[in-house]
Amino acid sequence: MYDSLLRLSPSSEVKANLATKWSYNADRTVLTLTLRTGIKFTDGTALDAAVKTNLLHTKEGTNEAAGQLKGISGVDVVNATTVAVKLSVPDPSLLANLGNVAGMVASPKAISSGALKSGPVGSGPYTLDKSATTAGSTYTFVRNPGYWNKSAFPFDKIVLKPMTDPTATLNALRSGQLSGALLTSAKNIAPAQSSGLKITKYTSGDVEGVYIWDREGKQVKALGDVRVRQALNYAFDRSAIVKTAKQGMGQSTTQVFNPAGPAFDGSLDTKYTYDPAKAKKLLAEAGYPNGFSVTMPDFSTFFPDQQAAMTQQLEDIGIKVKIDKIPTSQVLTALLSGKYPLSYMTLASFRPWDTIRLEVASDALWNPLHTSDPKVTALIAKAQTATGSAQDALFKEINTYLVDQAWNAPWDSVQNAYATNKNVTFTPQTYSAVPPIYNFKPAG
């Protein structure tokens, strides 16, 4: 329903879309975009100045897209087809993020009137068919007859069905109710294949494991000691977790940075081999020979095997885990509010700068207790203004420091499995857990 200013190729190269040209000034603090002409939203409003309204509106939110636009200090409408996006500091990922949710535009009229709360008003290839839509169950989209790039979207109708139960999803694929779906349980891959479904496996960009939110020991004093955080890393048998809980769908790692990006360093994955004895020794050295207790939110509804492995392996080194049985719908909100000192979690890892902005910077969305380390802050500032190989080297330095300081205890870089029937095909998208709809097409 919403078109984006730019578009990303399957390998995540930035391509033209609503913006046909773009350029930075010398210090990369002003991005000038040339807009496609003749674009209108479904309420008849022209694109032109809508870019300013949308970027500033999205920036004021509280989600990941808002964080990706945090560096914008203003937007000037130069003329009907040109806007200048002003930045307080350079943003290494801005162009790529304008090809995703952060760059999507809605009717400025619908934004100002509040109409978006009751229904979408975009300029994208599809519109919502309200008569065939039931909130929370089925969303039906039909072609926008005025869309400028119809050939890129070959389907006349798309129906999205939110499904959270892995077994129900598999059954819907088998019966033909679904053309494609992400298999969130690795145990369903073999049954799906035996049913004649095609399984496409790809690196999702997500990293799962135990995320240590309370690195300064504000809630659990022990976590403020680097030896304790390192002990957590030695406690986990990453290879076994991938083999059993994940059915082999992942690559064990100690890093939160995507293996496809320049921050990743394969040598760091040997930093914390599975060694419960060493973990116990580190705990004793830190003053916790009998371990300590910690409360975590319940993830058993969606990730029972991962939660069981986490709980057992922590208890093996003396860390007693209490699972807080809060409703699944409340878990993310509770985590973001800083309620828990650590937890199982899967977080997206895109380009290095995105990962830094998402979970490393002191004001990052997924740094809920706002950990601030002077060395990390200084390295982030240097990386933000660097370019090319110098920037890549700084990203690696940040990554190495985070692993050495055991900011988190990652387990694996997630591999996803997407099932499709014989009628559709798709291309996976780099840095994306689920491929965008423009990567799908009819088979044959």
Side-chain angles (χ1 to χ4, degrees), residues 232-252:
L232 295 183
N233 275 272
Y234 284 114
F236 295 118
D237 188 343
R238 294 170 171 83
S239 297
I241 290 173
V242 171
K243 183 179 179 179
T244 56
K246 301 299 302 296
Q247 302 288 299
M249 293 295 290
Q251 178 63 49
S252 58

Side-chain angles (χ1 to χ4, degrees), residues 212-294:
I212 305 170
W213 314 116
D214 186 23
R215 304 176 193 103
E216 295 178 346
K218 296 176 181 178
Q219 297 172 339
V220 176
K221 184 180 178 181
L223 296 175
D225 191 312
V226 65
R227 293 168 295 184
V228 171
R229 300 195 301 272
Q230 290 172 339
L232 295 183
N233 275 272
Y234 284 114
F236 295 118
D237 188 343
R238 294 170 171 83
S239 297
I241 290 173
V242 171
K243 183 179 179 179
T244 56
K246 301 299 302 296
Q247 302 288 299
M249 293 295 290
Q251 178 63 49
S252 58
T253 187
T254 64
Q255 308 168 62
V256 296
F257 286 90
N258 193 308
F264 188 83
D265 183 346
S267 67
L268 293 174
D269 285 340
T270 61
K271 173 76 175 179
Y272 299 109
T273 55
Y274 176 52
D275 193 338
K278 188 168 186 176
K280 290 179 180 179
K281 184 173 182 292
L282 284 167
L283 288 175
E285 290 175 359
Y288 301 94
N290 299 315
F292 55 91
S293 298
V294 65

Side-chain angles (χ1 to χ4, degrees), residues 58-59 63-72 87 91 93-103 348 350-351 353-355 357-358 365:
T58 301
K59 179 192 172 184
N63 54 20
E64 291 180 17
Q68 292 169 346
L69 301 182
K70 189 178 281 290
I72 293 179
L87 302 172
D91 184 338
S93 291
L94 180 61
L95 282 174
N97 286 328
L98 293 182
N100 214 311
V101 178
F350 306 131
R351 300 155 199 82
W353 186 250
D354 294 319
T355 302
R357 287 301 323 155
L358 181 66
L365 179 69

